[in-house]
Amino acid sequence: MTARKFSILETGSPRYVLARKRAIGKSVYLGVALSHVTEGQIEWACSSYDGNEFDTHEDVFLTDTSLPKARQLEALNDAIIRTAREYANSHNYRIQAVCIGCDEQTAKVVADHPELKDPIRSMCTRFWFDLDAAPCIYTLRGVSLTEEAASAARKVYDWFTPQFPGSIPRIAVDPDTNEVLVDMDGHCHMVDLKHFEDTTDKPTWDKLLQLADECKQRKLKIIFFNSTPQGGGVALMRHATIRLMRLLGVDCRWFVAKPNPDVFVITKRKFHNVFQGVTSDEQYRLRQEDKDLWVEWCEQNFEHYWGKGKGVVESADVIIMDDPQVSAIIPRIRELNPVARIVYRSHIEIRADLASVPGSMQHDLWDFLWSGFISKSDMFISHPVAGFIPPRVPHTRVALMPAATDELDGLNKKMSPADLEYYRRVFNRVAEDQGSPGIDAQRPYVIQIARFDPAKGIPDVIEAYRAFREKLSNAGMEEDQQPQLVLCGHGSIDDPDGTVVYEQVIQQLAQPEYCDYAKDICVARLPASDQLLCSLLRGSFCALQLSHREGFEVKVTESLAKYKPVIAYRSGGIPLQIEDGKTGILIERGDTRGVANALFRLYTDANYYQDFINELRTKGQDSKRQRFFTPFQSVNWLYLATQLAYKGNDEAVAKNQPTGDIDGTYMGDGQIRQWGARYVCEYWQEGQ
């Protein structure tokens, strides 16, 4: 082959220097094609595509035939990664995604030598961890290697448009069943099992492999249902769970409903907000027409996508229902597949105190959902907060499980200083487009990452920041030495409150008491970009989480895992993640002056701040945080599946379940009953 090479600009050239000073790296998408021609020789081509034109690199890699074939491919990986990095750095390009593939002849070689699959997958994961490029893998066709590479580049460009920096692949949903095809149905390959193993303690990992093997031997089928494939913590957890289950070979699938904006107004404002007690306005009381519309929507989704003859519900052994949005299908599941075990997973804060008061909106809402639908499930999984379990839920059916995040995805993976600077510039461009100031690279900042939601306490964040800045000025600190505030988050397709709350924030900043500080408050609603949120959190001085009402809010754990102290209200599951005075500071809900005082001490007392950082970096804290990561969470789900499923299990019931039938945990007079509910992990950790 006639070799063509990528041009590499000299680092001292005026164009290079200018790019490093001001520009955001131009987004490009790579296609890499491999061809095993003869023994000891691998031809490869790389095509760079920006949506308009291609740039091509061709090369022949001469392998050391004395090495095993797998080692030869690892050396090729090094060469390709090195070439891509040099090319991107010299031109100030940002590689957003890469599609790696081979022709059919080379695919046959790989099939004949299974040991070669790992090095090819390793090339994908190296693009993810080394270059922050989302990697895909595909079998390619073309009349030449360069044509295959160009085809791969076009393919990955289409998969990742709109081309927002740090974007995740288009969310693919099967049109026949509305199954979420996570990671482009497996074509996007970011991590391997060894990456999960490296970040998980051995007892947990061994248990995960044991339970996965049992699921495969018994041929168990596990499915999840919820309302949306993107936006919010539930969707993030499901993407990570399915990704790991696929690597383990477990048959686990995830289905979502077809979106209906009118229904989402009901499920967000009349379900979610009412349960959390963030509104007492009677206009949000559930009416009969609301019930009819919601039930009809659930029924339509069931009939069209999951019902008889669809091969979804009929073949399932264990079905997990995430929150109430589609819970009206539970009786239909019971009719179609009576032997399937149904687990209702409650992720939100349900004000059990209010739900215990006859005539309250919460009581009537819970009575409707429980009596007609949720009561038909076999288990009720709650966040481990006593006041979250509403009346009429028998404790023989309750177990506890916290939320989780993924240590290896875009929200949490490690990033280089260059990555952090790139995403800072990206954020500033988004902020500027929305009329907000950007982040000054020379100043620290405090951050709260959360949806623009009435329960997230954003007005308190702004007021606490104002009081904090006032204290700094009174202490004689110059303004340019004082930190900025960043408020940002993603939206969600099933959340109509985002725009309303965002506009309220902008109006608050226009009030006279905040005008002096508004120029240092960066407010932005961000498109889906996990790495952008990750970089903002990693670049912060500390994090806030001032939610008035909260389910769990695993953003707290994500902050702590990045060694950022968190100042938070004692809401929902937040105190379960913070050791007060060691890894963060817990403040009573609504005490903005207390938040300001905590910020002031953290910012002005270097030794005090460093004590938090030192504690967060200890192995003990790393070990504790594993409870909130994907592998540990997956053990919980696999344990429940193996214990509950009838297939291959005569007893089909979790061992040592709590006895006694308690009518909820909240007595209605301000007292919490002693509850017998236990964490799911307590069962599978017994005897370890």
Side-chain angles (χ1 to χ4, degrees), residues 356-638:
S356 300
V357 179
S360 70
M361 288 193 292
Q362 292 78 11
H363 179 277
D364 293 350
L365 173 60
W366 178 245
D367 183 67
F368 167 67
L369 292 174
W370 174 257
S371 300
F373 312 104
I374 299 174
S375 63
K376 309 297 188 296
S377 56
D378 295 292
M379 286 199 72
F380 185 100
I381 305 293
S382 171
H383 287 317
V385 181
F388 281 18
I389 302 177
R392 302 173 65 184
V393 181
H395 267 201
T396 51
R397 291 156 63 178
V398 174
L400 311 176
M401 188 189 300
T405 186
D406 194 90
E407 204 170 3
L408 302 171
D409 67 9
L411 285 168
N412 295 292
K413 68 172 184 168
K414 292 179 172 58
M415 309 186 86
S416 69
D419 291 334
L420 298 182
E421 174 58 19
Y422 167 75
Y423 285 112
R424 184 190 68 83
R425 296 184 187 189
V426 169
F427 174 83
N428 284 355
R429 178 173 290 180
V430 175
E432 182 179 1
D433 289 345
Q434 297 180 18
S436 173
I439 297 172
D440 185 339
Q442 305 306 314
R443 294 172 65 183
Y445 59 88
V446 177
I447 191 168
Q448 175 164 306
I449 295 177
R451 287 182 296 110
F452 287 86
D453 181 284
K456 297 298 182 180
I458 298 175
D460 284 25
V461 174
I462 295 171
E463 171 56 25
Y465 176 73
R466 183 205 64 77
F468 165 53
R469 286 288 301 269
E470 187 177 73
K471 286 175 69 70
L472 291 177
S473 296
N474 291 340
M477 184 177 291
E478 294 295 328
E479 188 174 291
D480 61 0
Q481 300 299 310
Q482 299 179 19
Q484 294 177 282
L485 173 65
V486 176
L487 290 167
C488 63
H490 291 161
S492 177
I493 192 172
D494 65 344
D495 184 0
D497 285 333
T499 299
V500 174
V501 175
Y502 172 79
E503 291 174 353
Q504 290 171 349
V505 170
I506 301 304
Q507 292 169 2
Q508 181 180 356
L509 293 177
Q511 299 303 309
E513 60 267 38
Y514 302 112
C515 285
D516 290 343
Y517 307 105
K519 65 182 182 300
D520 286 331
I521 300 178
C522 315
V523 182
R525 296 184 72 191
L526 302 176
S529 172
D530 291 349
Q531 292 99 299
L532 181 55
L533 293 186
C534 177
S535 67
L536 291 172
L537 202 47
R538 286 194 179 279
S540 68
F541 168 75
C542 74
L544 301 178
Q545 197 59 60
L546 304 188
S547 301
H548 279 238
R549 294 293 168 190
E550 194 57 80
F552 196 79
E553 190 46 87
V554 81
K555 270 285 174 288
V556 171
T557 286
E558 292 176 1
S559 303
L560 300 177
K562 297 172 181 63
Y563 311 129
K564 304 298 177 183
V566 179
I567 301 172
Y569 282 164
R570 296 180 185 272
S571 297
I574 290 175
L576 299 172
Q577 304 170 71
I578 295 174
E579 291 186 48
D580 192 17
K582 294 179 68 177
T583 63
I585 302 170
L586 292 171
I587 306 291
E588 295 305 318
R589 189 182 300 142
D591 184 6
T592 56
R593 178 62 61 176
V595 175
N597 292 338
L599 280 169
F600 182 81
R601 187 177 179 192
L602 273 181
Y603 194 68
T604 59
D605 188 336
N607 292 332
Y608 180 67
Y609 179 77
Q610 192 59 46
D611 286 343
F612 284 92
I613 305 302
N614 293 341
E615 177 63 27
L616 287 166
R617 290 181 178 275
T618 62
K619 290 184 178 180
Q621 291 298 333
D622 280 338
S623 179
K624 291 176 183 178
R625 285 192 291 270
Q626 286 201 15
R627 295 172 296 164
F628 310 126
F629 290 138
T630 301
F632 197 97
Q633 179 86 295
S634 297
V635 177
N636 287 333
W637 285 123
L638 292 181

Side-chain angles (χ1 to χ4, degrees), residues 1 31-46 57-63 69 72-73 76 80 100-110 116 120 123 138-149:
M1 64 186 296
V32 176
L34 308 176
S35 180
H36 185 274
V37 181
T38 61
E39 189 70 19
Q41 183 174 305
I42 301 176
E43 292 183 356
W44 66 280
C46 183
H57 181 99
E58 299 170 309
D59 208 345
V60 177
F61 184 77
L62 302 177
T63 64
K69 290 185 181 295
Q72 295 175 32
L73 272 180
L76 174 63
I80 293 175
I100 301 165
C102 56
D103 57 23
E104 292 181 351
Q105 176 187 346
T106 306
K108 186 176 184 305
V109 173
V110 174
L116 299 182
I120 291 176
M123 187 190 302
Y138 224 83
T139 300
L140 305 173
R141 293 181 178 86
V143 298
S144 68
L145 208 57
T146 55
E147 183 178 303
E148 290 174 357

Side-chain angles (χ1 to χ4, degrees), residues 78-332:
D78 292 338
I80 293 175
I81 293 289
R82 183 169 57 251
T83 299
R85 179 185 284 115
E86 290 176 352
Y87 169 68
N89 286 347
S90 75
H91 288 274
N92 197 37
Y93 290 161
R94 185 74 183 188
I95 303 171
Q96 297 294 347
V98 58
C99 182
I100 301 165
C102 56
D103 57 23
E104 292 181 351
Q105 176 187 346
T106 306
K108 186 176 184 305
V109 173
V110 174
D112 293 339
H113 298 274
E115 72 275 11
L116 299 182
K117 291 182 180 179
D118 286 343
I120 291 176
R121 292 186 178 123
S122 177
M123 187 190 302
C124 292
T125 62
R126 286 194 59 187
F127 267 101
W128 175 242
F129 290 113
D130 294 0
L131 298 183
D132 188 37
C136 304
I137 191 164
Y138 224 83
T139 300
L140 305 173
R141 293 181 178 86
V143 298
S144 68
L145 208 57
T146 55
E147 183 178 303
E148 290 174 357
S151 173
R154 284 196 305 271
K155 188 182 296 291
V156 76
Y157 175 86
D158 290 340
W159 280 349
F160 281 77
T161 51
Q163 307 116 44
F164 187 80
S167 64
I168 56 179
R170 285 176 182 265
I171 301 298
V173 176
D174 183 278
D176 295 324
T177 63
N178 260 31
E179 179 181 1
V180 183
L181 305 177
V182 173
D183 294 340
M184 300 301 298
D185 202 18
H187 286 298
C188 187
H189 187 85
M190 297 183 292
V191 295
D192 289 316
L193 276 180
K194 67 182 179 66
H195 297 106
F196 283 108
E197 183 178 7
D198 290 344
T199 57
T200 307
D201 65 64
K202 191 174 188 307
T204 301
W205 186 253
D206 290 345
K207 191 68 177 180
L208 178 66
L209 296 182
Q210 174 199 326
L211 291 170
D213 286 343
E214 182 178 345
C215 283
K216 288 184 285 187
Q217 290 168 10
R218 291 168 58 187
K219 298 181 180 179
L220 298 184
K221 296 180 183 295
I222 306 166
I223 63 176
F224 290 89
F225 282 107
N226 80 323
S227 61
T228 175
Q230 187 177 44
V234 175
L236 288 168
M237 282 192 286
R238 294 298 157 257
H239 279 281
T241 300
I242 299 297
R243 183 178 300 127
L244 178 54
M245 295 293 187
R246 179 185 286 133
L247 290 171
L248 291 167
V250 174
D251 189 345
C252 185
R253 302 164 70 190
W254 170 27
F255 299 87
V256 295
K258 184 177 181 179
N260 182 323
D262 292 332
V263 172
F264 289 157
V265 169
I266 296 170
T267 58
K268 179 58 168 65
R269 294 177 178 167
K270 296 190 175 185
F271 284 12
H272 188 280
N273 290 359
V274 167
F275 272 143
Q276 288 192 319
V278 298
T279 179
S280 58
D281 194 326
E282 279 293 317
Q283 68 171 311
Y284 296 118
R285 183 181 289 275
L286 199 64
R287 311 295 180 187
Q288 187 59 47
E289 55 267 30
D290 300 323
K291 299 176 184 178
D292 294 342
L293 177 60
W294 174 69
V295 171
E296 180 185 15
W297 174 71
C298 290
E299 293 268 356
Q300 288 175 346
N301 275 278
F302 187 86
E303 291 292 340
H304 190 72
Y305 297 115
W306 313 315
K308 189 173 183 179
K310 303 296 182 181
V312 177
V313 168
E314 291 164 304
S315 63
D317 296 296
V318 177
I319 297 172
I320 296 106
M321 189 70 53
D322 282 314
D323 280 337
Q325 285 91 332
V326 292
S327 61
I329 71 171
I330 293 177
R332 299 299 305 277

